[in-house]
Amino acid sequence: MLARVSLVAAEDTRRARTLLTHLGVDVPLRSLHEHNEAGRIPELLDTLRAGRDVALVSDAGTPLIADPGYRLVRACVDAGLPVRPIPGPSALTAALSVAGIATDRFRFEGFLPARSGPRREALAALAREPCTLVFYEAPHRIAAMLEDGAEVLGPERRAWVGRELTKRFESHRSGELAGLAELLRTEAEPARGEFVVVVEGASAVPEPATLDAEALLDALLEELPASRAAKVAARVTGAPRQALYQRALEREGKRGR
């Protein structure tokens, strides 16, 4: 496919040139990364409108999956220009396929904030999420990210960590968040290559028992007059106050017989 396009838009033209040279392909290259994507879009749209093909290539994995390209693809869609996917490597799906953690529902969060405070806030917002969580992380932050995960999500939460998936130095680790954090923190060799972290979803939390308005009313009538008992029972349970008051009067009437 790359040999048949008119132009390759690449996250890093140096890396892309290495790939093209290896494949024996000689086509023009244009850089497209997070810092120049907005400014590059008009040129690429003009190329496409002229009937030429443009291939979008990221450094690794799949464009738009925690990589540049969203703005360009959106602009193409808005302009009515066709965009065709070409299946390729994706760390997200590769990790889910071997982590041994449920994949029927998952939530991809990409990279968490770099600083611990905002990172913990982001994790806290996900603490009760029942579906599997998937994160990407940089090598110099992986240990700290796992430590924050253990503290916020729970030290015994099951997780899986993969490095350099589908590449020469691929490695996997599975266990509980606290154990993985300690392992990465004390690892003799410095962490290299980007990581994927898969974390088991939260266990279902049972809903609190619904208060029985009439049972509460009966208990309150032991200590309070009917109007007060009905008012408190309605406030606590949300049941209609007037209906509770009528039932309270009926109960008082039966007791008076």
Side-chain angles (χ1 to χ4, degrees):
M1 289 294 294
L2 290 175
R4 298 204 296 268
V5 301
S6 303
L7 180 72
V8 171
E11 182 179 5
D12 186 326
T13 54
R14 295 167 299 179
R15 291 176 180 265
R17 177 59 66 195
T18 299
L19 171 64
L20 295 177
T21 299
H22 176 74
L23 297 174
V25 173
D26 183 19
V27 297
L29 280 166
R30 293 288 186 278
S31 64
L32 185 85
H33 47 72
E34 60 179 328
H35 303 296
N36 74 350
E37 185 174 359
R40 187 71 78 185
I41 287 174
E43 173 193 350
L44 296 175
L45 291 183
D46 287 344
T47 300
L48 292 166
R49 290 190 181 103
R52 301 163 66 196
D53 293 325
V54 175
L56 176 61
V57 177
S58 55
D59 283 359
T62 301
L64 279 70
I65 309 300
D67 273 335
Y70 162 74
R71 293 182 181 87
L72 173 60
V73 171
R74 179 63 178 267
C76 289
V77 171
D78 290 345
L81 297 167
V83 180
R84 296 186 177 88
I86 300 175
S90 171
L92 168 64
T93 52
L96 288 169
S97 69
V98 295
I101 295 177
T103 58
D104 54 333
R105 291 182 62 225
F106 63 88
R107 178 167 172 167
F108 177 56
E109 287 293 314
F111 288 90
L112 288 167
R115 292 187 294 116
S116 182
R119 182 166 60 232
R120 291 188 181 204
E121 290 179 10
L123 287 166
L126 300 168
R128 298 185 65 181
E129 178 62 60
C131 64
T132 295
L133 304 173
V134 186
F135 307 94
Y136 286 172
E137 193 52 270
H140 61 283
R141 292 197 301 263
I142 184 64
M145 179 265 185
L146 291 171
E147 288 171 357
D148 285 344
E151 183 166 335
V152 176
L153 301 178
E156 298 180 356
R157 185 81 73 96
R158 185 178 178 185
W160 177 95
V161 178
R163 174 176 59 182
E164 292 285 89
L165 299 184
T166 75
K167 298 178 184 177
R168 181 180 177 186
F169 299 107
E170 176 178 332
S171 65
H172 308 168
R173 294 178 175 87
S174 184
E176 296 176 346
L177 275 174
L180 290 170
E182 178 68 12
L183 182 64
L184 267 294
R185 187 178 65 81
T186 59
E187 194 174 41
E189 291 293 324
R192 292 190 177 91
E194 289 191 346
F195 288 78
V196 185
V197 180
V198 181
V199 181
E200 189 173 48
S203 300
V205 178
E207 293 292 328
T210 303
L211 282 173
D212 185 320
E214 294 197 18
L216 177 60
L217 182 66
D218 285 339
L220 291 171
L221 285 171
E222 298 292 332
E223 305 292 337
L224 300 172
S227 60
R228 289 282 295 161
K231 182 178 181 180
V232 173
R235 183 183 301 166
V236 172
T237 66
R241 177 180 173 182
Q242 189 59 36
L244 289 173
Y245 179 59
Q246 291 299 322
R247 287 172 189 160
L249 292 177
E250 291 171 6
R251 283 167 171 73
E252 285 191 337
K254 290 178 181 179
R255 289 176 184 174
R257 290 176 186 172

PDB file of all heavy atoms in Angstrom, residues 40 43 70 73 87 98 134 137 152 156 182 184 245:
ATOM      1  N   ARG A  40      -0.837  21.530   9.343  1.00  0.00           N
ATOM      2  CA  ARG A  40      -0.546  20.680   8.188  1.00  0.00           C
ATOM      3  C   ARG A  40      -1.815  20.250   7.448  1.00  0.00           C
ATOM      4  O   ARG A  40      -1.773  19.873   6.267  1.00  0.00           O
ATOM      5  CB  ARG A  40       0.221  19.442   8.659  1.00  0.00           C
ATOM      6  CG  ARG A  40       0.746  18.547   7.568  1.00  0.00           C
ATOM      7  CD  ARG A  40       1.905  19.177   6.823  1.00  0.00           C
ATOM      8  NE  ARG A  40       3.146  19.070   7.584  1.00  0.00           N
ATOM      9  CZ  ARG A  40       4.284  19.616   7.212  1.00  0.00           C
ATOM     10  NH1 ARG A  40       4.332  20.340   6.105  1.00  0.00           N
ATOM     11  NH2 ARG A  40       5.387  19.492   7.946  1.00  0.00           N
ATOM     12  N   GLU A  43      -2.838  21.602   3.715  1.00  0.00           N
ATOM     13  CA  GLU A  43      -1.992  21.058   2.644  1.00  0.00           C
ATOM     14  C   GLU A  43      -2.402  19.625   2.296  1.00  0.00           C
ATOM     15  O   GLU A  43      -2.502  19.259   1.109  1.00  0.00           O
ATOM     16  CB  GLU A  43      -0.528  21.092   3.085  1.00  0.00           C
ATOM     17  CG  GLU A  43       0.418  20.391   2.107  1.00  0.00           C
ATOM     18  CD  GLU A  43       1.800  20.143   2.697  1.00  0.00           C
ATOM     19  OE1 GLU A  43       2.090  20.676   3.786  1.00  0.00           O
ATOM     20  OE2 GLU A  43       2.577  19.413   2.060  1.00  0.00           O
ATOM     21  N   TYR A  70      -6.049  12.387  14.795  1.00  0.00           N
ATOM     22  CA  TYR A  70      -7.488  12.606  14.970  1.00  0.00           C
ATOM     23  C   TYR A  70      -7.977  13.834  14.209  1.00  0.00           C
ATOM     24  O   TYR A  70      -8.989  13.795  13.508  1.00  0.00           O
ATOM     25  CB  TYR A  70      -7.834  12.736  16.448  1.00  0.00           C
ATOM     26  CG  TYR A  70      -9.171  13.374  16.699  1.00  0.00           C
ATOM     27  CD1 TYR A  70     -10.351  12.655  16.470  1.00  0.00           C
ATOM     28  CD2 TYR A  70      -9.278  14.698  17.116  1.00  0.00           C
ATOM     29  CE1 TYR A  70     -11.585  13.238  16.673  1.00  0.00           C
ATOM     30  CE2 TYR A  70     -10.506  15.290  17.322  1.00  0.00           C
ATOM     31  CZ  TYR A  70     -11.669  14.556  17.105  1.00  0.00           C
ATOM     32  OH  TYR A  70     -12.886  15.143  17.286  1.00  0.00           O
ATOM     33  N   VAL A  73      -8.082  13.160  10.400  1.00  0.00           N
ATOM     34  CA  VAL A  73      -9.170  12.259  10.012  1.00  0.00           C
ATOM     35  C   VAL A  73     -10.511  12.970  10.143  1.00  0.00           C
ATOM     36  O   VAL A  73     -11.384  12.849   9.266  1.00  0.00           O
ATOM     37  CB  VAL A  73      -9.131  10.972  10.859  1.00  0.00           C
ATOM     38  CG1 VAL A  73     -10.380  10.130  10.626  1.00  0.00           C
ATOM     39  CG2 VAL A  73      -7.887  10.161  10.529  1.00  0.00           C
ATOM     40  N   PRO A  87      -5.540  -2.562   8.696  1.00  0.00           N
ATOM     41  CA  PRO A  87      -5.231  -3.221   9.967  1.00  0.00           C
ATOM     42  C   PRO A  87      -3.724  -3.293  10.205  1.00  0.00           C
ATOM     43  O   PRO A  87      -2.943  -3.577   9.299  1.00  0.00           O
ATOM     44  CB  PRO A  87      -5.835  -4.619   9.791  1.00  0.00           C
ATOM     45  CG  PRO A  87      -6.901  -4.439   8.754  1.00  0.00           C
ATOM     46  CD  PRO A  87      -6.372  -3.396   7.826  1.00  0.00           C
ATOM     47  N   VAL A  98      -3.757 -11.046  25.666  1.00  0.00           N
ATOM     48  CA  VAL A  98      -2.877 -11.951  26.435  1.00  0.00           C
ATOM     49  C   VAL A  98      -2.878 -11.667  27.933  1.00  0.00           C
ATOM     50  O   VAL A  98      -2.245 -12.389  28.697  1.00  0.00           O
ATOM     51  CB  VAL A  98      -1.417 -11.881  25.919  1.00  0.00           C
ATOM     52  CG1 VAL A  98      -1.324 -12.391  24.497  1.00  0.00           C
ATOM     53  CG2 VAL A  98      -0.845 -10.477  26.032  1.00  0.00           C
ATOM     54  N   VAL A 134      -7.583   0.070  30.703  1.00  0.00           N
ATOM     55  CA  VAL A 134      -6.338  -0.061  29.945  1.00  0.00           C
ATOM     56  C   VAL A 134      -5.655   1.306  29.872  1.00  0.00           C
ATOM     57  O   VAL A 134      -6.291   2.304  29.522  1.00  0.00           O
ATOM     58  CB  VAL A 134      -6.585  -0.589  28.515  1.00  0.00           C
ATOM     59  CG1 VAL A 134      -5.252  -0.843  27.807  1.00  0.00           C
ATOM     60  CG2 VAL A 134      -7.422  -1.868  28.546  1.00  0.00           C
ATOM     61  N   GLU A 137       1.698   3.916  29.401  1.00  0.00           N
ATOM     62  CA  GLU A 137       2.568   4.653  30.310  1.00  0.00           C
ATOM     63  C   GLU A 137       4.000   4.676  29.811  1.00  0.00           C
ATOM     64  O   GLU A 137       4.461   3.740  29.155  1.00  0.00           O
ATOM     65  CB  GLU A 137       2.519   4.048  31.713  1.00  0.00           C
ATOM     66  CG  GLU A 137       3.147   4.925  32.781  1.00  0.00           C
ATOM     67  CD  GLU A 137       2.603   6.357  32.763  1.00  0.00           C
ATOM     68  OE1 GLU A 137       3.197   7.190  32.034  1.00  0.00           O
ATOM     69  OE2 GLU A 137       1.595   6.628  33.431  1.00  0.00           O
ATOM     70  N   VAL A 152      -4.818   3.961  45.116  1.00  0.00           N
ATOM     71  CA  VAL A 152      -6.151   4.484  44.818  1.00  0.00           C
ATOM     72  C   VAL A 152      -7.142   3.377  44.467  1.00  0.00           C
ATOM     73  O   VAL A 152      -8.287   3.380  44.945  1.00  0.00           O
ATOM     74  CB  VAL A 152      -6.077   5.513  43.664  1.00  0.00           C
ATOM     75  CG1 VAL A 152      -7.475   6.000  43.284  1.00  0.00           C
ATOM     76  CG2 VAL A 152      -5.202   6.692  44.056  1.00  0.00           C
ATOM     77  N   GLU A 156      -4.628  -4.983  46.061  1.00  0.00           N
ATOM     78  CA  GLU A 156      -4.881  -6.360  45.616  1.00  0.00           C
ATOM     79  C   GLU A 156      -5.599  -6.425  44.282  1.00  0.00           C
ATOM     80  O   GLU A 156      -5.934  -7.518  43.816  1.00  0.00           O
ATOM     81  CB  GLU A 156      -5.677  -7.105  46.690  1.00  0.00           C
ATOM     82  CG  GLU A 156      -4.928  -7.220  48.014  1.00  0.00           C
ATOM     83  CD  GLU A 156      -5.717  -7.953  49.067  1.00  0.00           C
ATOM     84  OE1 GLU A 156      -6.882  -8.308  48.805  1.00  0.00           O
ATOM     85  OE2 GLU A 156      -5.171  -8.180  50.169  1.00  0.00           O
ATOM     86  N   GLU A 182       6.001  -2.728  43.263  1.00  0.00           N
ATOM     87  CA  GLU A 182       7.270  -3.016  43.950  1.00  0.00           C
ATOM     88  C   GLU A 182       8.278  -3.629  42.981  1.00  0.00           C
ATOM     89  O   GLU A 182       9.469  -3.283  43.012  1.00  0.00           O
ATOM     90  CB  GLU A 182       7.007  -3.982  45.113  1.00  0.00           C
ATOM     91  CG  GLU A 182       8.249  -4.407  45.884  1.00  0.00           C
ATOM     92  CD  GLU A 182       8.883  -3.259  46.665  1.00  0.00           C
ATOM     93  OE1 GLU A 182       8.244  -2.195  46.807  1.00  0.00           O
ATOM     94  OE2 GLU A 182      10.021  -3.439  47.121  1.00  0.00           O
ATOM     95  N   LEU A 184       8.512  -3.239  39.688  1.00  0.00           N
ATOM     96  CA  LEU A 184       9.036  -2.226  38.757  1.00  0.00           C
ATOM     97  C   LEU A 184       9.925  -1.211  39.472  1.00  0.00           C
ATOM     98  O   LEU A 184      10.895  -0.712  38.888  1.00  0.00           O
ATOM     99  CB  LEU A 184       7.878  -1.508  38.056  1.00  0.00           C
ATOM    100  CG  LEU A 184       7.405  -2.069  36.702  1.00  0.00           C
ATOM    101  CD1 LEU A 184       8.482  -1.907  35.648  1.00  0.00           C
ATOM    102  CD2 LEU A 184       6.984  -3.524  36.810  1.00  0.00           C
ATOM    103  N   TYR A 245     -48.744   9.939  57.141  1.00  0.00           N
ATOM    104  CA  TYR A 245     -49.481  10.512  58.258  1.00  0.00           C
ATOM    105  C   TYR A 245     -50.820   9.793  58.449  1.00  0.00           C
ATOM    106  O   TYR A 245     -51.226   9.475  59.573  1.00  0.00           O
ATOM    107  CB  TYR A 245     -49.700  12.001  58.018  1.00  0.00           C
ATOM    108  CG  TYR A 245     -50.488  12.678  59.121  1.00  0.00           C
ATOM    109  CD1 TYR A 245     -50.027  12.665  60.439  1.00  0.00           C
ATOM    110  CD2 TYR A 245     -51.689  13.332  58.842  1.00  0.00           C
ATOM    111  CE1 TYR A 245     -50.745  13.294  61.455  1.00  0.00           C
ATOM    112  CE2 TYR A 245     -52.411  13.960  59.845  1.00  0.00           C
ATOM    113  CZ  TYR A 245     -51.933  13.930  61.157  1.00  0.00           C
ATOM    114  OH  TYR A 245     -52.656  14.547  62.164  1.00  0.00           O
TER     115      TYR A 245
END
